[in-house]
Amino acid sequence: MLDSSDLSAIWLTIKLAFLVTLILLVIGTPIAWWLARTSSRLRGVVAAVVALPLVLPPTVLGFYLLVAFGPQGTLGQLTQTLGLGTLPFTFWGLVVASVIYSLPFVVQPLQNAMESIQEESLEAAATLGASPLDRFFTVVIPLSKVGYTTAAVLGFAHTIGEFGVVLMIGGNIPGETQLISVKIYEHVEALNYAQAHTLSIGMLLFSFVVLLLVYSQMNGKQMNRKKMNRKPSSRNKGAL
């Protein structure tokens, strides 16, 4: 059975994941659009920075965030000057770290979706008098809905499963920074395998459902493309 601390860790993890996903969708959209459309020489540099959390050990990222946002760090001194205090070992420290660590899981699906948009669709909207902002909200975003769904699901799921980064920047403070992954680790350390198993099986099932949703979206998109490709050929056969 789950006790109150387990339930608190579950609620805090879900709260963090929802907040981080919303922030990532907001800041990830302009980054993905720029990467999808730009021909700048800086494109490779920006893409590499965005993808860095994919290959960087979580503890390394967590360590440098801890140093940067600490009392003696540059960003830590800035937050103290602004009256925000220091972010390490706080919930908002987890938010900042999770946004950075999960950034590629949101930006890359959005970028792929935006790169697949045909230029003709944007040109047609422009001929109807749509401004660049109108074209973005009426053409780009609707045509990228599969990318947004995938990005939201992956961003949420990745935040749920974080361990190394959140442990480094947030520690293990019940009700404040103690997430599901950290709580499982605590149960294992205490040889409380029953509760560790309960939380772990929940994470396993959650991960499977997330992947099922993502691949269902991808398969549905591929099926739609195949149907669209078959229509012109069938029409041509009828004309012949």
mmCIF file with all atom_site columns, all heavy atoms in Angstrom, residues 154-179:
data_model
loop_
_atom_site.group_PDB
_atom_site.id
_atom_site.type_symbol
_atom_site.label_atom_id
_atom_site.label_alt_id
_atom_site.label_comp_id
_atom_site.label_asym_id
_atom_site.label_entity_id
_atom_site.label_seq_id
_atom_site.pdbx_PDB_ins_code
_atom_site.Cartn_x
_atom_site.Cartn_y
_atom_site.Cartn_z
_atom_site.occupancy
_atom_site.B_iso_or_equiv
_atom_site.pdbx_formal_charge
_atom_site.auth_seq_id
_atom_site.auth_comp_id
_atom_site.auth_asym_id
_atom_site.auth_atom_id
_atom_site.pdbx_PDB_model_num
ATOM 1   N N   . LEU A 1 154 ? 5.837  13.248 -24.891 1.00 0.00 ? 154 LEU A N   1
ATOM 2   C CA  . LEU A 1 154 ? 7.227  12.932 -24.571 1.00 0.00 ? 154 LEU A CA  1
ATOM 3   C C   . LEU A 1 154 ? 7.781  13.856 -23.489 1.00 0.00 ? 154 LEU A C   1
ATOM 4   O O   . LEU A 1 154 ? 8.514  13.415 -22.596 1.00 0.00 ? 154 LEU A O   1
ATOM 5   C CB  . LEU A 1 154 ? 8.088  13.034 -25.833 1.00 0.00 ? 154 LEU A CB  1
ATOM 6   C CG  . LEU A 1 154 ? 7.894  11.946 -26.889 1.00 0.00 ? 154 LEU A CG  1
ATOM 7   C CD1 . LEU A 1 154 ? 8.789  12.197 -28.084 1.00 0.00 ? 154 LEU A CD1 1
ATOM 8   C CD2 . LEU A 1 154 ? 8.174  10.566 -26.302 1.00 0.00 ? 154 LEU A CD2 1
ATOM 9   N N   . GLY A 1 155 ? 7.450  15.145 -23.563 1.00 0.00 ? 155 GLY A N   1
ATOM 10  C CA  . GLY A 1 155 ? 7.919  16.081 -22.544 1.00 0.00 ? 155 GLY A CA  1
ATOM 11  C C   . GLY A 1 155 ? 7.375  15.742 -21.171 1.00 0.00 ? 155 GLY A C   1
ATOM 12  O O   . GLY A 1 155 ? 8.110  15.764 -20.172 1.00 0.00 ? 155 GLY A O   1
ATOM 13  N N   . PHE A 1 156 ? 6.091  15.412 -21.121 1.00 0.00 ? 156 PHE A N   1
ATOM 14  C CA  . PHE A 1 156 ? 5.464  15.040 -19.852 1.00 0.00 ? 156 PHE A CA  1
ATOM 15  C C   . PHE A 1 156 ? 6.078  13.762 -19.298 1.00 0.00 ? 156 PHE A C   1
ATOM 16  O O   . PHE A 1 156 ? 6.448  13.684 -18.117 1.00 0.00 ? 156 PHE A O   1
ATOM 17  C CB  . PHE A 1 156 ? 3.960  14.862 -20.064 1.00 0.00 ? 156 PHE A CB  1
ATOM 18  C CG  . PHE A 1 156 ? 3.182  14.612 -18.806 1.00 0.00 ? 156 PHE A CG  1
ATOM 19  C CD1 . PHE A 1 156 ? 2.709  15.668 -18.054 1.00 0.00 ? 156 PHE A CD1 1
ATOM 20  C CD2 . PHE A 1 156 ? 2.928  13.317 -18.378 1.00 0.00 ? 156 PHE A CD2 1
ATOM 21  C CE1 . PHE A 1 156 ? 1.985  15.435 -16.880 1.00 0.00 ? 156 PHE A CE1 1
ATOM 22  C CE2 . PHE A 1 156 ? 2.213  13.080 -17.217 1.00 0.00 ? 156 PHE A CE2 1
ATOM 23  C CZ  . PHE A 1 156 ? 1.738  14.144 -16.468 1.00 0.00 ? 156 PHE A CZ  1
ATOM 24  N N   . ALA A 1 157 ? 6.207  12.753 -20.157 1.00 0.00 ? 157 ALA A N   1
ATOM 25  C CA  . ALA A 1 157 ? 6.726  11.459 -19.707 1.00 0.00 ? 157 ALA A CA  1
ATOM 26  C C   . ALA A 1 157 ? 8.185  11.557 -19.269 1.00 0.00 ? 157 ALA A C   1
ATOM 27  O O   . ALA A 1 157 ? 8.584  10.938 -18.275 1.00 0.00 ? 157 ALA A O   1
ATOM 28  C CB  . ALA A 1 157 ? 6.594  10.433 -20.828 1.00 0.00 ? 157 ALA A CB  1
ATOM 29  N N   . HIS A 1 158 ? 8.968  12.327 -20.007 1.00 0.00 ? 158 HIS A N   1
ATOM 30  C CA  . HIS A 1 158 ? 10.387 12.452 -19.648 1.00 0.00 ? 158 HIS A CA  1
ATOM 31  C C   . HIS A 1 158 ? 10.549 13.159 -18.312 1.00 0.00 ? 158 HIS A C   1
ATOM 32  O O   . HIS A 1 158 ? 11.431 12.800 -17.512 1.00 0.00 ? 158 HIS A O   1
ATOM 33  C CB  . HIS A 1 158 ? 11.141 13.210 -20.745 1.00 0.00 ? 158 HIS A CB  1
ATOM 34  C CG  . HIS A 1 158 ? 12.623 13.175 -20.583 1.00 0.00 ? 158 HIS A CG  1
ATOM 35  N ND1 . HIS A 1 158 ? 13.354 14.272 -20.171 1.00 0.00 ? 158 HIS A ND1 1
ATOM 36  C CD2 . HIS A 1 158 ? 13.526 12.180 -20.747 1.00 0.00 ? 158 HIS A CD2 1
ATOM 37  C CE1 . HIS A 1 158 ? 14.627 13.952 -20.113 1.00 0.00 ? 158 HIS A CE1 1
ATOM 38  N NE2 . HIS A 1 158 ? 14.762 12.691 -20.452 1.00 0.00 ? 158 HIS A NE2 1
ATOM 39  N N   . THR A 1 159 ? 9.717  14.150 -18.060 1.00 0.00 ? 159 THR A N   1
ATOM 40  C CA  . THR A 1 159 ? 9.776  14.843 -16.770 1.00 0.00 ? 159 THR A CA  1
ATOM 41  C C   . THR A 1 159 ? 9.376  13.908 -15.632 1.00 0.00 ? 159 THR A C   1
ATOM 42  O O   . THR A 1 159 ? 9.968  13.945 -14.547 1.00 0.00 ? 159 THR A O   1
ATOM 43  C CB  . THR A 1 159 ? 8.850  16.072 -16.784 1.00 0.00 ? 159 THR A CB  1
ATOM 44  O OG1 . THR A 1 159 ? 9.215  16.924 -17.881 1.00 0.00 ? 159 THR A OG1 1
ATOM 45  C CG2 . THR A 1 159 ? 8.975  16.867 -15.485 1.00 0.00 ? 159 THR A CG2 1
ATOM 46  N N   . ILE A 1 160 ? 8.381  13.070 -15.871 1.00 0.00 ? 160 ILE A N   1
ATOM 47  C CA  . ILE A 1 160 ? 7.944  12.105 -14.863 1.00 0.00 ? 160 ILE A CA  1
ATOM 48  C C   . ILE A 1 160 ? 9.094  11.185 -14.453 1.00 0.00 ? 160 ILE A C   1
ATOM 49  O O   . ILE A 1 160 ? 9.262  10.843 -13.280 1.00 0.00 ? 160 ILE A O   1
ATOM 50  C CB  . ILE A 1 160 ? 6.775  11.251 -15.404 1.00 0.00 ? 160 ILE A CB  1
ATOM 51  C CG1 . ILE A 1 160 ? 5.498  12.085 -15.523 1.00 0.00 ? 160 ILE A CG1 1
ATOM 52  C CG2 . ILE A 1 160 ? 6.525  10.036 -14.505 1.00 0.00 ? 160 ILE A CG2 1
ATOM 53  C CD1 . ILE A 1 160 ? 4.788  12.380 -14.234 1.00 0.00 ? 160 ILE A CD1 1
ATOM 54  N N   . GLY A 1 161 ? 9.905  10.770 -15.434 1.00 0.00 ? 161 GLY A N   1
ATOM 55  C CA  . GLY A 1 161 ? 10.937 9.772  -15.174 1.00 0.00 ? 161 GLY A CA  1
ATOM 56  C C   . GLY A 1 161 ? 12.302 10.326 -14.799 1.00 0.00 ? 161 GLY A C   1
ATOM 57  O O   . GLY A 1 161 ? 13.253 9.544  -14.669 1.00 0.00 ? 161 GLY A O   1
ATOM 58  N N   . GLU A 1 162 ? 12.444 11.619 -14.631 1.00 0.00 ? 162 GLU A N   1
ATOM 59  C CA  . GLU A 1 162 ? 13.751 12.200 -14.314 1.00 0.00 ? 162 GLU A CA  1
ATOM 60  C C   . GLU A 1 162 ? 14.240 11.739 -12.938 1.00 0.00 ? 162 GLU A C   1
ATOM 61  O O   . GLU A 1 162 ? 13.456 11.569 -12.012 1.00 0.00 ? 162 GLU A O   1
ATOM 62  C CB  . GLU A 1 162 ? 13.675 13.728 -14.341 1.00 0.00 ? 162 GLU A CB  1
ATOM 63  C CG  . GLU A 1 162 ? 13.509 14.302 -15.741 1.00 0.00 ? 162 GLU A CG  1
ATOM 64  C CD  . GLU A 1 162 ? 13.284 15.797 -15.702 1.00 0.00 ? 162 GLU A CD  1
ATOM 65  O OE1 . GLU A 1 162 ? 13.198 16.360 -14.590 1.00 0.00 ? 162 GLU A OE1 1
ATOM 66  O OE2 . GLU A 1 162 ? 13.184 16.406 -16.776 1.00 0.00 ? 162 GLU A OE2 1
ATOM 67  N N   . PHE A 1 163 ? 15.555 11.571 -12.837 1.00 0.00 ? 163 PHE A N   1
ATOM 68  C CA  . PHE A 1 163 ? 16.138 11.171 -11.555 1.00 0.00 ? 163 PHE A CA  1
ATOM 69  C C   . PHE A 1 163 ? 17.424 11.940 -11.242 1.00 0.00 ? 163 PHE A C   1
ATOM 70  O O   . PHE A 1 163 ? 17.496 12.682 -10.285 1.00 0.00 ? 163 PHE A O   1
ATOM 71  C CB  . PHE A 1 163 ? 16.417 9.668  -11.528 1.00 0.00 ? 163 PHE A CB  1
ATOM 72  C CG  . PHE A 1 163 ? 17.067 9.210  -10.253 1.00 0.00 ? 163 PHE A CG  1
ATOM 73  C CD1 . PHE A 1 163 ? 16.341 9.143  -9.070  1.00 0.00 ? 163 PHE A CD1 1
ATOM 74  C CD2 . PHE A 1 163 ? 18.416 8.864  -10.212 1.00 0.00 ? 163 PHE A CD2 1
ATOM 75  C CE1 . PHE A 1 163 ? 16.943 8.735  -7.882  1.00 0.00 ? 163 PHE A CE1 1
ATOM 76  C CE2 . PHE A 1 163 ? 19.028 8.449  -9.046  1.00 0.00 ? 163 PHE A CE2 1
ATOM 77  C CZ  . PHE A 1 163 ? 18.288 8.391  -7.868  1.00 0.00 ? 163 PHE A CZ  1
ATOM 78  N N   . GLY A 1 164 ? 18.446 11.752 -12.078 1.00 0.00 ? 164 GLY A N   1
ATOM 79  C CA  . GLY A 1 164 ? 19.746 12.336 -11.779 1.00 0.00 ? 164 GLY A CA  1
ATOM 80  C C   . GLY A 1 164 ? 19.727 13.843 -11.644 1.00 0.00 ? 164 GLY A C   1
ATOM 81  O O   . GLY A 1 164 ? 20.268 14.408 -10.682 1.00 0.00 ? 164 GLY A O   1
ATOM 82  N N   . VAL A 1 165 ? 19.084 14.523 -12.600 1.00 0.00 ? 165 VAL A N   1
ATOM 83  C CA  . VAL A 1 165 ? 19.050 15.986 -12.576 1.00 0.00 ? 165 VAL A CA  1
ATOM 84  C C   . VAL A 1 165 ? 18.290 16.494 -11.357 1.00 0.00 ? 165 VAL A C   1
ATOM 85  O O   . VAL A 1 165 ? 18.753 17.390 -10.642 1.00 0.00 ? 165 VAL A O   1
ATOM 86  C CB  . VAL A 1 165 ? 18.413 16.530 -13.874 1.00 0.00 ? 165 VAL A CB  1
ATOM 87  C CG1 . VAL A 1 165 ? 18.143 18.022 -13.754 1.00 0.00 ? 165 VAL A CG1 1
ATOM 88  C CG2 . VAL A 1 165 ? 19.321 16.266 -15.059 1.00 0.00 ? 165 VAL A CG2 1
ATOM 89  N N   . VAL A 1 166 ? 17.105 15.921 -11.122 1.00 0.00 ? 166 VAL A N   1
ATOM 90  C CA  . VAL A 1 166 ? 16.277 16.422 -10.018 1.00 0.00 ? 166 VAL A CA  1
ATOM 91  C C   . VAL A 1 166 ? 16.899 16.105 -8.663  1.00 0.00 ? 166 VAL A C   1
ATOM 92  O O   . VAL A 1 166 ? 16.729 16.862 -7.702  1.00 0.00 ? 166 VAL A O   1
ATOM 93  C CB  . VAL A 1 166 ? 14.847 15.845 -10.113 1.00 0.00 ? 166 VAL A CB  1
ATOM 94  C CG1 . VAL A 1 166 ? 14.162 16.321 -11.391 1.00 0.00 ? 166 VAL A CG1 1
ATOM 95  C CG2 . VAL A 1 166 ? 14.839 14.326 -10.052 1.00 0.00 ? 166 VAL A CG2 1
ATOM 96  N N   . LEU A 1 167 ? 17.621 14.992 -8.575  1.00 0.00 ? 167 LEU A N   1
ATOM 97  C CA  . LEU A 1 167 ? 18.275 14.662 -7.309  1.00 0.00 ? 167 LEU A CA  1
ATOM 98  C C   . LEU A 1 167 ? 19.414 15.629 -7.027  1.00 0.00 ? 167 LEU A C   1
ATOM 99  O O   . LEU A 1 167 ? 19.625 16.036 -5.875  1.00 0.00 ? 167 LEU A O   1
ATOM 100 C CB  . LEU A 1 167 ? 18.793 13.222 -7.337  1.00 0.00 ? 167 LEU A CB  1
ATOM 101 C CG  . LEU A 1 167 ? 19.362 12.680 -6.023  1.00 0.00 ? 167 LEU A CG  1
ATOM 102 C CD1 . LEU A 1 167 ? 18.287 12.674 -4.936  1.00 0.00 ? 167 LEU A CD1 1
ATOM 103 C CD2 . LEU A 1 167 ? 19.917 11.271 -6.218  1.00 0.00 ? 167 LEU A CD2 1
ATOM 104 N N   . MET A 1 168 ? 20.146 16.031 -8.061  1.00 0.00 ? 168 MET A N   1
ATOM 105 C CA  . MET A 1 168 ? 21.265 16.958 -7.890  1.00 0.00 ? 168 MET A CA  1
ATOM 106 C C   . MET A 1 168 ? 20.786 18.358 -7.533  1.00 0.00 ? 168 MET A C   1
ATOM 107 O O   . MET A 1 168 ? 21.328 19.004 -6.635  1.00 0.00 ? 168 MET A O   1
ATOM 108 C CB  . MET A 1 168 ? 22.103 17.001 -9.171  1.00 0.00 ? 168 MET A CB  1
ATOM 109 C CG  . MET A 1 168 ? 22.863 15.722 -9.478  1.00 0.00 ? 168 MET A CG  1
ATOM 110 S SD  . MET A 1 168 ? 24.220 15.415 -8.318  1.00 0.00 ? 168 MET A SD  1
ATOM 111 C CE  . MET A 1 168 ? 25.376 16.689 -8.798  1.00 0.00 ? 168 MET A CE  1
ATOM 112 N N   . ILE A 1 169 ? 19.769 18.840 -8.237  1.00 0.00 ? 169 ILE A N   1
ATOM 113 C CA  . ILE A 1 169 ? 19.332 20.230 -8.055  1.00 0.00 ? 169 ILE A CA  1
ATOM 114 C C   . ILE A 1 169 ? 18.275 20.363 -6.961  1.00 0.00 ? 169 ILE A C   1
ATOM 115 O O   . ILE A 1 169 ? 18.127 21.418 -6.357  1.00 0.00 ? 169 ILE A O   1
ATOM 116 C CB  . ILE A 1 169 ? 18.774 20.797 -9.380  1.00 0.00 ? 169 ILE A CB  1
ATOM 117 C CG1 . ILE A 1 169 ? 18.653 22.324 -9.328  1.00 0.00 ? 169 ILE A CG1 1
ATOM 118 C CG2 . ILE A 1 169 ? 17.438 20.177 -9.715  1.00 0.00 ? 169 ILE A CG2 1
ATOM 119 C CD1 . ILE A 1 169 ? 19.946 23.065 -9.332  1.00 0.00 ? 169 ILE A CD1 1
ATOM 120 N N   . GLY A 1 170 ? 17.519 19.260 -6.696  1.00 0.00 ? 170 GLY A N   1
ATOM 121 C CA  . GLY A 1 170 ? 16.419 19.368 -5.740  1.00 0.00 ? 170 GLY A CA  1
ATOM 122 C C   . GLY A 1 170 ? 16.606 18.587 -4.460  1.00 0.00 ? 170 GLY A C   1
ATOM 123 O O   . GLY A 1 170 ? 15.930 18.855 -3.464  1.00 0.00 ? 170 GLY A O   1
ATOM 124 N N   . GLY A 1 171 ? 17.511 17.609 -4.467  1.00 0.00 ? 171 GLY A N   1
ATOM 125 C CA  . GLY A 1 171 ? 17.677 16.794 -3.272  1.00 0.00 ? 171 GLY A CA  1
ATOM 126 C C   . GLY A 1 171 ? 16.485 15.881 -3.057  1.00 0.00 ? 171 GLY A C   1
ATOM 127 O O   . GLY A 1 171 ? 15.838 15.433 -4.004  1.00 0.00 ? 171 GLY A O   1
ATOM 128 N N   . ASN A 1 172 ? 16.168 15.635 -1.803  1.00 0.00 ? 172 ASN A N   1
ATOM 129 C CA  . ASN A 1 172 ? 15.097 14.694 -1.461  1.00 0.00 ? 172 ASN A CA  1
ATOM 130 C C   . ASN A 1 172 ? 14.308 15.241 -0.280  1.00 0.00 ? 172 ASN A C   1
ATOM 131 O O   . ASN A 1 172 ? 14.296 14.669 0.809   1.00 0.00 ? 172 ASN A O   1
ATOM 132 C CB  . ASN A 1 172 ? 15.705 13.327 -1.133  1.00 0.00 ? 172 ASN A CB  1
ATOM 133 C CG  . ASN A 1 172 ? 14.654 12.262 -0.902  1.00 0.00 ? 172 ASN A CG  1
ATOM 134 O OD1 . ASN A 1 172 ? 13.511 12.396 -1.315  1.00 0.00 ? 172 ASN A OD1 1
ATOM 135 N ND2 . ASN A 1 172 ? 15.041 11.201 -0.196  1.00 0.00 ? 172 ASN A ND2 1
ATOM 136 N N   . ILE A 1 173 ? 13.635 16.361 -0.497  1.00 0.00 ? 173 ILE A N   1
ATOM 137 C CA  . ILE A 1 173 ? 12.868 17.023 0.554   1.00 0.00 ? 173 ILE A CA  1
ATOM 138 C C   . ILE A 1 173 ? 11.396 16.649 0.408   1.00 0.00 ? 173 ILE A C   1
ATOM 139 O O   . ILE A 1 173 ? 10.762 17.022 -0.580  1.00 0.00 ? 173 ILE A O   1
ATOM 140 C CB  . ILE A 1 173 ? 13.028 18.555 0.480   1.00 0.00 ? 173 ILE A CB  1
ATOM 141 C CG1 . ILE A 1 173 ? 14.508 18.941 0.498   1.00 0.00 ? 173 ILE A CG1 1
ATOM 142 C CG2 . ILE A 1 173 ? 12.277 19.235 1.622   1.00 0.00 ? 173 ILE A CG2 1
ATOM 143 C CD1 . ILE A 1 173 ? 14.769 20.419 0.262   1.00 0.00 ? 173 ILE A CD1 1
ATOM 144 N N   . PRO A 1 174 ? 10.819 15.895 1.346   1.00 0.00 ? 174 PRO A N   1
ATOM 145 C CA  . PRO A 1 174 ? 9.412  15.479 1.241   1.00 0.00 ? 174 PRO A CA  1
ATOM 146 C C   . PRO A 1 174 ? 8.474  16.672 1.090   1.00 0.00 ? 174 PRO A C   1
ATOM 147 O O   . PRO A 1 174 ? 8.581  17.667 1.810   1.00 0.00 ? 174 PRO A O   1
ATOM 148 C CB  . PRO A 1 174 ? 9.164  14.749 2.568   1.00 0.00 ? 174 PRO A CB  1
ATOM 149 C CG  . PRO A 1 174 ? 10.527 14.264 2.986   1.00 0.00 ? 174 PRO A CG  1
ATOM 150 C CD  . PRO A 1 174 ? 11.477 15.345 2.552   1.00 0.00 ? 174 PRO A CD  1
ATOM 151 N N   . GLY A 1 175 ? 7.572  16.562 0.120   1.00 0.00 ? 175 GLY A N   1
ATOM 152 C CA  . GLY A 1 175 ? 6.588  17.612 -0.099  1.00 0.00 ? 175 GLY A CA  1
ATOM 153 C C   . GLY A 1 175 ? 7.109  18.810 -0.859  1.00 0.00 ? 175 GLY A C   1
ATOM 154 O O   . GLY A 1 175 ? 6.331  19.693 -1.236  1.00 0.00 ? 175 GLY A O   1
ATOM 155 N N   . GLU A 1 176 ? 8.410  18.862 -1.112  1.00 0.00 ? 176 GLU A N   1
ATOM 156 C CA  . GLU A 1 176 ? 9.010  20.013 -1.789  1.00 0.00 ? 176 GLU A CA  1
ATOM 157 C C   . GLU A 1 176 ? 9.745  19.609 -3.064  1.00 0.00 ? 176 GLU A C   1
ATOM 158 O O   . GLU A 1 176 ? 9.515  20.183 -4.127  1.00 0.00 ? 176 GLU A O   1
ATOM 159 C CB  . GLU A 1 176 ? 9.980  20.731 -0.848  1.00 0.00 ? 176 GLU A CB  1
ATOM 160 C CG  . GLU A 1 176 ? 10.633 21.969 -1.440  1.00 0.00 ? 176 GLU A CG  1
ATOM 161 C CD  . GLU A 1 176 ? 9.670  23.116 -1.646  1.00 0.00 ? 176 GLU A CD  1
ATOM 162 O OE1 . GLU A 1 176 ? 8.619  23.138 -0.952  1.00 0.00 ? 176 GLU A OE1 1
ATOM 163 O OE2 . GLU A 1 176 ? 9.950  23.992 -2.484  1.00 0.00 ? 176 GLU A OE2 1
ATOM 164 N N   . THR A 1 177 ? 10.612 18.614 -2.973  1.00 0.00 ? 177 THR A N   1
ATOM 165 C CA  . THR A 1 177 ? 11.387 18.177 -4.143  1.00 0.00 ? 177 THR A CA  1
ATOM 166 C C   . THR A 1 177 ? 11.431 16.660 -4.289  1.00 0.00 ? 177 THR A C   1
ATOM 167 O O   . THR A 1 177 ? 12.134 16.160 -5.154  1.00 0.00 ? 177 THR A O   1
ATOM 168 C CB  . THR A 1 177 ? 12.836 18.701 -4.057  1.00 0.00 ? 177 THR A CB  1
ATOM 169 O OG1 . THR A 1 177 ? 13.482 18.135 -2.905  1.00 0.00 ? 177 THR A OG1 1
ATOM 170 C CG2 . THR A 1 177 ? 12.871 20.227 -3.966  1.00 0.00 ? 177 THR A CG2 1
ATOM 171 N N   . GLN A 1 178 ? 10.726 15.943 -3.457  1.00 0.00 ? 178 GLN A N   1
ATOM 172 C CA  . GLN A 1 178 ? 10.762 14.480 -3.500  1.00 0.00 ? 178 GLN A CA  1
ATOM 173 C C   . GLN A 1 178 ? 9.785  13.956 -4.554  1.00 0.00 ? 178 GLN A C   1
ATOM 174 O O   . GLN A 1 178 ? 8.584  13.947 -4.351  1.00 0.00 ? 178 GLN A O   1
ATOM 175 C CB  . GLN A 1 178 ? 10.424 13.883 -2.141  1.00 0.00 ? 178 GLN A CB  1
ATOM 176 C CG  . GLN A 1 178 ? 10.652 12.379 -2.047  1.00 0.00 ? 178 GLN A CG  1
ATOM 177 C CD  . GLN A 1 178 ? 10.281 11.844 -0.673  1.00 0.00 ? 178 GLN A CD  1
ATOM 178 O OE1 . GLN A 1 178 ? 9.107  11.812 -0.310  1.00 0.00 ? 178 GLN A OE1 1
ATOM 179 N NE2 . GLN A 1 178 ? 11.274 11.436 0.105   1.00 0.00 ? 178 GLN A NE2 1
ATOM 180 N N   . LEU A 1 179 ? 10.333 13.516 -5.696  1.00 0.00 ? 179 LEU A N   1
ATOM 181 C CA  . LEU A 1 179 ? 9.531  13.012 -6.796  1.00 0.00 ? 179 LEU A CA  1
ATOM 182 C C   . LEU A 1 179 ? 9.432  11.487 -6.743  1.00 0.00 ? 179 LEU A C   1
ATOM 183 O O   . LEU A 1 179 ? 10.067 10.848 -5.904  1.00 0.00 ? 179 LEU A O   1
ATOM 184 C CB  . LEU A 1 179 ? 10.140 13.457 -8.117  1.00 0.00 ? 179 LEU A CB  1
ATOM 185 C CG  . LEU A 1 179 ? 10.348 14.968 -8.288  1.00 0.00 ? 179 LEU A CG  1
ATOM 186 C CD1 . LEU A 1 179 ? 10.938 15.264 -9.657  1.00 0.00 ? 179 LEU A CD1 1
ATOM 187 C CD2 . LEU A 1 179 ? 9.047  15.732 -8.080  1.00 0.00 ? 179 LEU A CD2 1
#
